[in-house]
């Protein structure tokens, strides 16, 4: 089996190379090797490699910067998934694509299900929603995973930012009115590998393609998430100026950003769990595993 993976230097792309290595021949590319904003180059790559599965974690993820670069965000997040789908359909391949909680406006009281109406608040969210639609309309067999608050041992993320600030500062203000589940890149990669293996065994005709929500279990807010990171890092022996009690909760209105974030990013994973028969770990275990990799004891 030949598997094409985009965004090989990103958090999820890095973990996918590990998780998919036993599954098949992996061709992992970065932006220099394949610029997703160049549809012609993307088509040429797919036709050259002739993959059985295209796995697309690459995206324009600079949420605030997207507000001033809508065309580039649209090309990468909206057009490219449709191009991948069109080429996959021609080559009898299928596509695994990752989307986001930002397709929702966050006004629902409970967890979002796959069938809930989307209403993105930002350019990033709109382009990611349009990418879902383009892939769904392409005619390709596909799996779309909507996820949230991705974090990994490789790459830049909120947990690593908090660790850096905790070395430098004795106090910190963090937003506490946005709720979701930090989800490890390793979990996303491992679930993806599991599904591709299942597809190999079951065959395409019986495989339950479609849209699924994939996040770690449980929920938190950014402030409590930051406190957890600092507490766990201290327990691992990391020397920090910041203590969990010195992280102050603030409302989003005190921390204005160019792009509006959804206040509720909770996502219901029941469809995924029922369909594939596995449970998802709590978000804390994923963060602990990442911190064990990045925190160096003195």
């Amino acid at each position: 089996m030949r598997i094409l993976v985009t965004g090989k230097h990103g958090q999820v792309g890095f973990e996918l190379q590990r998780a998919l290595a036993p599954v098949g021949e992996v061709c992992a590319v970065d932006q220099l090797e394949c610029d997703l904003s160049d549809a012609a180059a993307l088509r040429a790559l797919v036709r050259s490699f002739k993959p059985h599965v295209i796995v697309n974690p690459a995206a324009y993820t600079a949420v605030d910067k997207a507000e001033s670069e809508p065309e580039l965000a649209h090309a990468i997040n909206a057009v490219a998934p449709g191009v991948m789908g069109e080429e996959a359909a021609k080559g009898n391949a299928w596509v695994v694509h990752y989307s986001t909680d930002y397709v929702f406006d966050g006004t629902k009281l409970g967890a979002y299900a796959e069938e809930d109406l989307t209403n993105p608040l930002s350019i990033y969210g709109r382009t990611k929603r349009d990418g879902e639609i383009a892939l769904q309309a392409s005619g390709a067999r596909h799996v779309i995973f909507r996820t949230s608050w991705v974090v990994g041992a490789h790459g830049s993320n909120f947990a690593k930012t908090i660790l850096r600030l905790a070395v430098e500062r004795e106090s910190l203000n963090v937003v506490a009115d946005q709720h979701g589940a930090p989800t490890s890149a390793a979990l996303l990669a491992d679930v993806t590998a599991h599904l591709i293996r299942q597809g190999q065994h079951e065959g395409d005709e019986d495989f339950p393609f479609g849209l699924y929500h994939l996040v770690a279990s449980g929920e938190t807010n950014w402030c409590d998430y930051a406190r957890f990171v600092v507490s766990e890092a201290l327990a691992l022996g990391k020397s920090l100026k910041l203590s969990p009690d010195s992280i102050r909760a603030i409302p989003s209105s005190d921390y204005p950003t160019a792009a509006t974030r959804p206040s509720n990013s909770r996502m219901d994973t029941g469809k995924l769990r029922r369909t594939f028969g596995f449970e998802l770990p709590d978000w804390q275990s994923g963060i602990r595993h990442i911190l064990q990799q990045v925190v160096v004891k003195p």
Side-chain angles (χ1 to χ4, degrees), residues 1 13 16 48 85 112 135 141 174 282:
M1 170 175 277
L16 281 167
S48 172
Y112 280 96
L135 177 56
R141 293 161 299 178
V174 181
D282 60 64

PDB file of all heavy atoms in Angstrom, residues 1 13 16 48 85 112 135 141 174 282:
ATOM      1  N   MET A   1       0.843  -1.204   0.000  1.00  0.00           N
ATOM      2  CA  MET A   1       0.000   0.000   0.000  1.00  0.00           C
ATOM      3  C   MET A   1       0.871   1.244   0.000  1.00  0.00           C
ATOM      4  O   MET A   1       1.809   1.351   0.792  1.00  0.00           O
ATOM      5  CB  MET A   1      -0.930   0.001   1.217  1.00  0.00           C
ATOM      6  CG  MET A   1      -1.661   1.316   1.430  1.00  0.00           C
ATOM      7  SD  MET A   1      -2.855   1.293   2.764  1.00  0.00           S
ATOM      8  CE  MET A   1      -4.254   0.580   1.919  1.00  0.00           C
ATOM      9  N   GLY A  13       1.570  15.455  11.017  1.00  0.00           N
ATOM     10  CA  GLY A  13       2.360  14.838   9.963  1.00  0.00           C
ATOM     11  C   GLY A  13       3.563  14.091  10.506  1.00  0.00           C
ATOM     12  O   GLY A  13       3.912  13.000  10.020  1.00  0.00           O
ATOM     13  N   LEU A  16       2.247  10.889  12.040  1.00  0.00           N
ATOM     14  CA  LEU A  16       1.738   9.973  11.020  1.00  0.00           C
ATOM     15  C   LEU A  16       2.853   9.148  10.392  1.00  0.00           C
ATOM     16  O   LEU A  16       2.652   7.968  10.073  1.00  0.00           O
ATOM     17  CB  LEU A  16       0.998  10.760   9.930  1.00  0.00           C
ATOM     18  CG  LEU A  16      -0.422  11.199  10.257  1.00  0.00           C
ATOM     19  CD1 LEU A  16      -0.911  12.225   9.249  1.00  0.00           C
ATOM     20  CD2 LEU A  16      -1.373   9.997  10.296  1.00  0.00           C
ATOM     21  N   SER A  48       1.981  11.219  -9.923  1.00  0.00           N
ATOM     22  CA  SER A  48       3.309  10.608  -9.974  1.00  0.00           C
ATOM     23  C   SER A  48       3.448   9.465  -8.968  1.00  0.00           C
ATOM     24  O   SER A  48       3.949   8.387  -9.304  1.00  0.00           O
ATOM     25  CB  SER A  48       4.383  11.668  -9.699  1.00  0.00           C
ATOM     26  OG  SER A  48       5.655  11.094  -9.566  1.00  0.00           O
ATOM     27  N   GLY A  85      -9.240  15.066  -3.498  1.00  0.00           N
ATOM     28  CA  GLY A  85     -10.375  14.184  -3.707  1.00  0.00           C
ATOM     29  C   GLY A  85     -10.592  13.843  -5.162  1.00  0.00           C
ATOM     30  O   GLY A  85     -10.842  12.680  -5.522  1.00  0.00           O
ATOM     31  N   TYR A 112     -20.820  19.159  20.243  1.00  0.00           N
ATOM     32  CA  TYR A 112     -21.240  19.172  18.844  1.00  0.00           C
ATOM     33  C   TYR A 112     -21.180  17.775  18.240  1.00  0.00           C
ATOM     34  O   TYR A 112     -20.193  17.059  18.399  1.00  0.00           O
ATOM     35  CB  TYR A 112     -20.350  20.115  18.026  1.00  0.00           C
ATOM     36  CG  TYR A 112     -20.729  21.569  18.165  1.00  0.00           C
ATOM     37  CD1 TYR A 112     -20.066  22.384  19.076  1.00  0.00           C
ATOM     38  CD2 TYR A 112     -21.747  22.117  17.403  1.00  0.00           C
ATOM     39  CE1 TYR A 112     -20.410  23.723  19.209  1.00  0.00           C
ATOM     40  CE2 TYR A 112     -22.101  23.457  17.519  1.00  0.00           C
ATOM     41  CZ  TYR A 112     -21.427  24.255  18.430  1.00  0.00           C
ATOM     42  OH  TYR A 112     -21.782  25.581  18.559  1.00  0.00           O
ATOM     43  N   LEU A 135     -14.081  18.221  -0.479  1.00  0.00           N
ATOM     44  CA  LEU A 135     -13.714  16.803  -0.475  1.00  0.00           C
ATOM     45  C   LEU A 135     -14.951  15.926  -0.590  1.00  0.00           C
ATOM     46  O   LEU A 135     -14.965  14.946  -1.351  1.00  0.00           O
ATOM     47  CB  LEU A 135     -12.931  16.473   0.797  1.00  0.00           C
ATOM     48  CG  LEU A 135     -12.535  15.002   0.983  1.00  0.00           C
ATOM     49  CD1 LEU A 135     -11.741  14.487  -0.207  1.00  0.00           C
ATOM     50  CD2 LEU A 135     -11.733  14.837   2.282  1.00  0.00           C
ATOM     51  N   ARG A 141     -13.785   8.420  -2.047  1.00  0.00           N
ATOM     52  CA  ARG A 141     -14.040   7.817  -0.740  1.00  0.00           C
ATOM     53  C   ARG A 141     -13.147   8.538   0.267  1.00  0.00           C
ATOM     54  O   ARG A 141     -11.966   8.762  -0.003  1.00  0.00           O
ATOM     55  CB  ARG A 141     -13.712   6.318  -0.787  1.00  0.00           C
ATOM     56  CG  ARG A 141     -14.662   5.521  -1.678  1.00  0.00           C
ATOM     57  CD  ARG A 141     -14.058   4.195  -2.063  1.00  0.00           C
ATOM     58  NE  ARG A 141     -12.815   4.393  -2.826  1.00  0.00           N
ATOM     59  CZ  ARG A 141     -12.066   3.395  -3.251  1.00  0.00           C
ATOM     60  NH1 ARG A 141     -12.392   2.150  -2.993  1.00  0.00           N
ATOM     61  NH2 ARG A 141     -10.961   3.650  -3.934  1.00  0.00           N
ATOM     62  N   VAL A 174      -4.584  33.759  31.461  1.00  0.00           N
ATOM     63  CA  VAL A 174      -4.998  32.838  30.410  1.00  0.00           C
ATOM     64  C   VAL A 174      -6.517  32.799  30.340  1.00  0.00           C
ATOM     65  O   VAL A 174      -7.198  32.752  31.370  1.00  0.00           O
ATOM     66  CB  VAL A 174      -4.439  31.414  30.635  1.00  0.00           C
ATOM     67  CG1 VAL A 174      -4.858  30.483  29.505  1.00  0.00           C
ATOM     68  CG2 VAL A 174      -2.917  31.436  30.764  1.00  0.00           C
ATOM     69  N   ASP A 282      -8.403  10.007  28.001  1.00  0.00           N
ATOM     70  CA  ASP A 282      -8.671  11.365  28.463  1.00  0.00           C
ATOM     71  C   ASP A 282      -7.537  12.289  28.037  1.00  0.00           C
ATOM     72  O   ASP A 282      -6.402  11.857  27.771  1.00  0.00           O
ATOM     73  CB  ASP A 282      -8.871  11.397  29.976  1.00  0.00           C
ATOM     74  CG  ASP A 282      -7.649  10.897  30.745  1.00  0.00           C
ATOM     75  OD1 ASP A 282      -6.579  11.532  30.667  1.00  0.00           O
ATOM     76  OD2 ASP A 282      -7.761   9.859  31.421  1.00  0.00           O
TER      77      ASP A 282
END
